[in-house]
Amino acid sequence: MSLQFVIDGNNIMHHPGYIKFINNSHKDSRLALLEFIRFNGLCGSGKNNITVVFDGYPRLGASSLNNLEINIVFSGIGTADEEIKKICENSKSIKTIVVVSDDNEIKYFVKSMVARTLGVKEFVGEKKTLCKPKNETLDVKMTYSQMCKVNEELKKIWLREKKGE
């Protein structure tokens, strides 16, 4: 029985467990994510179906996103979370779905429908040997939420200094 992975693309792209493994030479971060998933075999068997859900609309010239045998869904004016919920609700075989996200609301919703969830850390973390980190000395010791708080504080400081110029 093959699985259907439904992946919250933006959730992974902003997670430190993923960021430390990608190469910043990509101009398109969405394409970098799709290549990372496909070429590192993060979804197991090639028979498994992969759907990556992104917020918003595709960028102009994003046709290269469709070349990796991965279903891509853009939320348009809605959110990726809403699209993930729709995919789960419309599934004829909910027990074969594995949703990859760290969003607690999505996790609770998916579990209530008897589908499986996988956190981003587990999804990208178990494949560390398959890809070379872009910076071997990078050692993340903060949680994702701690990093977000620090970034918000730094943004406030930077904006205050910018206004004082």
Side-chain angles (χ1 to χ4, degrees):
M1 171 175 64
S2 60
L3 299 173
Q4 179 181 355
F5 282 83
V6 180
I7 301 167
D8 186 339
N10 291 57
N11 201 257
I12 291 178
M13 289 190 318
H14 297 98
H15 192 279
Y18 166 72
I19 292 170
K20 72 179 185 178
F21 289 111
I22 67 154
N23 182 348
N24 285 336
S25 65
H26 263 291
K27 291 181 182 176
D28 189 339
S29 57
R30 292 172 175 173
L31 180 59
L33 174 63
L34 298 175
E35 289 178 352
F36 179 79
I37 291 168
R38 173 55 71 201
F39 297 128
N40 288 298
L42 297 183
C43 295
S45 168
K47 295 179 182 178
N48 290 336
N49 188 1
I50 305 168
T51 301
V52 179
V53 183
F54 293 108
D55 288 309
Y57 295 93
R59 293 182 188 108
L60 291 175
S63 60
S64 60
L65 295 178
N66 297 326
N67 297 333
L68 295 169
E69 299 174 5
I70 295 176
N71 301 317
I72 302 158
V73 176
F74 290 95
S75 66
I77 60 171
T79 67
D81 293 352
E82 292 167 354
E83 290 299 318
I84 291 169
K85 288 177 182 179
K86 284 180 196 173
I87 291 169
C88 292
E89 288 173 333
N90 296 328
S91 174
K92 293 178 182 165
S93 54
I94 190 70
K95 291 183 179 183
T96 64
I97 290 182
V98 178
V99 175
V100 179
S101 179
D102 278 343
D103 186 317
N104 284 333
E105 181 183 342
I106 290 295
K107 285 182 172 185
Y108 295 137
F109 176 83
V110 169
K111 287 178 182 178
S112 74
M113 295 195 68
V114 196
R116 290 180 263 177
T117 63
L118 192 59
V120 174
K121 183 176 180 181
E122 294 81 18
F123 184 68
V124 298
E126 293 181 9
K127 303 299 180 187
K128 289 180 183 175
T129 58
L130 294 176
C131 45
K132 188 176 180 182
K134 65 179 182 180
N135 183 354
E136 297 286 349
T137 61
L138 181 63
D139 188 18
V140 178
K141 294 187 184 208
M142 290 191 286
T143 65
Y144 181 67
S145 57
Q146 289 170 328
M147 291 177 91
C148 288
K149 286 178 185 176
V150 169
N151 285 339
E152 286 301 314
E153 289 177 25
L154 289 172
K155 189 188 310 181
K156 288 176 187 175
I157 292 169
W158 184 80
L159 288 173
R160 265 187 274 148
E161 291 176 0
K162 205 67 165 155
K163 287 179 183 178
E165 289 183 356

